[in-house]
Amino acid sequence: MWQLIEASCREDKERFRSEVVPYLVDYERKFESCLVAFKSATTFMNAARVAPFARFRLEVKAVEELQEVLNSQYVHSLGGVHFSHHGEGSEGLKLLSRHDEKLCHLIELGVSFNRLDVDAIERLSRSAYVKRLTWLGLRKCELGTAHIKALSSGHTFDALETLHIGENQPGFEGFGVLFEEFCSPALREIELSASAFSSMGRRGGDTFLEDAGLELLAGCAAMQNVRSLSANFSRISAKGVQALVNSDHLPHLEQLMLDTNPNIGVSGANVIANSKGCARLMYLSLSQCQLGDDGAKALASSPYLRDLQLLDLSSNKIGDEGVEALSKSDVLSGVHTLNLGANRIAEEGATALFSSDKLASLTSLSFFGNGFGASTHEAYLRNTRLRGLKSLNLGGCKISDELASHMLMSSMFEGVKSLILSRNNLSHLSAAAFRDTISLNDVEVLQVRDSQFTPEDFEVFFEADLKALKELTLSGRRLGDVGVKALLRTPYIGRLKVLRLQGMDLTNDHLMWIAKGRWESLRELDLLMNYNLSDVEPLKQAQWFKSLERFSVERHETRYPW
């Protein structure tokens, strides 16, 4: 993207770098956007002025900002508009409809987390620019059947590839209209998940897709090019899963997310395992689906799940039998991201997993909340197929201080870039191992929440020279004067981009010391749950504070636009 933008303003690259690049922000990965985003009208127009042939996205905080861009000469650079979380979605849609003829390059529209009225949806559907939209976000907009009918009453969304429309209340009739009248063959990704609150019975039943809605979707010819389907929290059972995976209208489905549908159970796992329609799946997420050992065994025995790259079976009450079956299965042979967290796997099952010869492709493993003992550590060290791991979550694995120190001093974490050791029994031995080890030289992200460190242990911990560290998360223990002063002396203070010190019993004096630190690279500072803090002004006066993009402290959270 950088090269594309710079190529459009070759005659003034230095101006582009000095005036535009400092204001560019990364957008949340879940939206998979190809547009560079700006969080204010001023920075958006600066970019458009310097790179007139590029297209950018504006993240709107107020309708007045959008009005400013629409009335400017730079409206042609408007490739995307997002109103998410700002409560002015209806007014924004109506404003866009009044400037319809100017929006010749608009391809992304996000109005999620806004309460939209039917009139605004009708105006959206009658606007000519919707024929060019490739991405549309309408998540949690309180859309009912009338809204869905209004959405389908105007122009067809012929270019729409991604639709996020979960956490609404369309009802069975609304789902039928959505699938049969609104969706077009261009659709590649559809997100229909309900909310966690809905699954706990706190909202109306119309929110849920359920088996009947999934059967409608499976019978819709417009789904022929869908690659990705998300229907979490949707009260789906094995019956709905069977209709989906055996559908003739979903020949290209590669990503299937059905998290928190406990009615899927073992029967649903058997349906997936024995369906030829699942042979093309690359991403499969079945977290909190009540699979148990029998469900894990069913998936492990599948002759079709051979192309999986991501597999999430977290929170499924899987024990040693289930994980041992998986560790012997070719289902794991191509998996690069595996989540087995929050199951019932003890040391024996963990040792079987880490001894597996099926993990050569694995780069990310989440194993939090299971057992991890000395025999598991030894198996890990012996298994050369684990050398490709870049992300490892061993939080809450009941790892003792002695074992943790042995793990840190071994070669176990060599090459790992993201490491989570939270909620284990780490104490003074582990603190010394952090200081003395050379196996953490590649770690960029480190989380050590809720350890047993004392302020004196933190003093030792901060002596570690973690050469690549960019993000550090600590929480739940008192840092104390000794710990704060040691933090300010740590060798990596100038390299940190993200620092989270939640619930560390920080005081106003500690803030004054932190304000004097050399935080040249810091972009996010999280001090939540430090209830003794009452004066953050010393921080705000620091020169480095002006470079923060996000600052959080109890009762106050700010995302900065620069």
Side-chain angles (χ1 to χ4, degrees), residues 8 25 28 42 64 124 135 231 253 280 293 351 384 410 425 433 438 440 457 488:
S8 69
V25 295
E28 293 182 40
T42 301
E64 290 75 17
L124 167 65
W135 193 99
L253 189 64
R280 54 189 174 267
D293 282 334
T351 301
T384 58
S410 71
N425 299 314
I438 59 173
L440 301 180
D457 292 332
L488 298 175

Side-chain angles (χ1 to χ4, degrees), residues 121-122 124-127 130 149-157:
I121 294 293
E122 286 180 348
L124 167 65
S125 69
R126 293 173 189 155
S127 300
V130 302
K149 288 181 176 178
L151 191 63
S152 307
S153 65
H155 293 292
T156 55
F157 290 63

Side-chain angles (χ1 to χ4, degrees), residues 311-315 336-343 345 353-354 362-370 389 391-395 397 418 420:
L311 179 61
D312 186 347
L313 300 178
S314 58
S315 302
H336 60 65
T337 301
L338 177 63
N339 188 348
L340 291 171
N343 278 298
I345 303 168
L353 176 69
F354 286 101
L362 200 62
T363 59
S364 177
L365 173 63
S366 184
F367 201 67
F368 66 91
N370 292 300
L389 266 181
S391 177
L392 180 60
N393 184 348
L394 295 176
C397 286
S418 176
I420 300 177

Side-chain angles (χ1 to χ4, degrees), residues 466-481:
L466 304 178
K467 301 182 184 303
L469 193 65
K470 298 177 182 178
E471 179 178 325
L472 176 63
T473 301
L474 305 171
S475 72
R477 300 296 294 178
R478 188 171 69 88
L479 199 53
D481 294 356

Side-chain angles (χ1 to χ4, degrees), residues 491-540:
Y492 48 80
I493 182 173
R495 299 192 295 268
L496 279 180
K497 292 185 176 181
V498 177
L499 177 62
R500 301 185 183 97
L501 301 173
Q502 299 178 350
M504 305 291 285
D505 202 20
L506 298 177
T507 66
N508 290 335
D509 287 342
H510 294 153
L511 285 196
M512 293 180 64
W513 301 345
I514 291 173
K516 298 175 183 178
R518 298 175 289 104
W519 307 100
E520 296 93 343
S521 302
L522 201 63
R523 295 296 176 265
E524 178 181 337
L525 178 61
D526 186 341
L527 303 178
L528 289 172
M529 294 183 288
N530 288 285
Y531 301 107
N532 293 323
L533 298 180
S534 59
D535 183 11
V536 298
E537 287 305 315
L539 284 182
K540 292 183 177 181

Side-chain angles (χ1 to χ4, degrees), residues 245 247 250-254 276-282 304 307:
V245 299
S247 171
L250 290 159
H252 301 293
L253 189 64
E254 298 174 348
K276 291 182 180 180
C278 292
R280 54 189 174 267
L281 284 181
M282 299 171 66
Y304 302 113
D307 290 332

Side-chain angles (χ1 to χ4, degrees), residues 254-315:
E254 298 174 348
Q255 302 182 15
L256 180 59
M257 284 71 75
L258 298 175
D259 296 342
T260 320
N261 286 290
N263 293 329
I264 288 177
V266 178
S267 299
N270 276 303
V271 168
I272 292 172
N274 296 303
S275 171
K276 291 182 180 180
C278 292
R280 54 189 174 267
L281 284 181
M282 299 171 66
Y283 283 38
L284 178 61
S285 188
L286 297 171
S287 177
Q288 299 186 65
C289 287
Q290 296 289 340
L291 302 185
D293 282 334
D294 290 339
K297 290 178 183 178
L299 295 175
S301 65
S302 173
Y304 302 113
L305 298 174
R306 292 293 186 265
D307 290 332
L308 286 183
Q309 297 179 11
L310 179 148
L311 179 61
D312 186 347
L313 300 178
S314 58
S315 302

